[in-house]
Amino acid sequence: MAESDGKEKIKWTTTIIISSSLKSYEVATALENRSHKVRYSDSVENGSIIFSLSGVAFLLMDAKKCFMSAEETFLAKIEKFINIHRNSFLVLSAALHGPEEWKLMFRIQQRFLGSNLRILPVHNTINAINLMCTIAKITSKPHTDSICYRMITTKAYIIEQSPVWKTLQKIKLSSDTFNPN
């Protein structure tokens, strides 16, 4: 997306803590190739990726592996993960999200209803990386401040330009008009 106002697009990079269990996986290489500062750790849950400055954590799970393991095993892993990370996402990967994968997601949602877990169905590594980086970027401090400012500015502009607002101003409608006394 080219910006027409003359601003150069600044590449967003951050520090990412990745489970050592993912060191030889494509997802780790793809994050390193985006110029992020990647640190590997044995002390985080296997399959986890943590964007420390944004405060978001992702647990990567393959739907096929979930089907091959006992439900209690992967549910316990998810529970441990969400107990540690307050802003957590389960990235559930499957080449095709058919009826079985949707049933799996539904069972996970039912089990963790009311928790801080959100499920992201993805099809491939690029899809997963793009979602994780987008979420991490928009939740990082400078970007949240910018988004809040733009929302406030947009709201003010909409109110100023609203024909309803202009009509109300013309007839000087105020709370005193509705005084029943």
Side-chain angles (χ1 to χ4, degrees), residues 66-125:
C66 290
F67 294 135
M68 293 188 293
S69 67
E71 189 169 313
E72 300 80 33
T73 305
F74 69 81
L75 290 177
K77 181 176 182 169
I78 295 168
E79 181 149 13
K80 180 179 176 189
F81 181 75
I82 66 172
N83 285 336
I84 295 169
H85 304 285
R86 64 177 175 84
N87 200 359
S88 56
F89 294 84
L90 171 63
V91 180
L92 191 63
S93 179
L96 175 69
H97 292 284
E100 291 303 312
E101 289 79 8
W102 289 110
K103 285 178 192 171
L104 173 65
M105 281 187 270
F106 181 70
R107 285 196 317 270
I108 294 169
Q109 282 179 327
Q110 279 185 314
R111 169 65 179 81
F112 297 104
L113 190 64
S115 74
N116 55 343
L117 179 71
R118 277 131 351 219
I119 302 173
L120 300 173
V122 297
H123 298 290
N124 54 44
T125 301

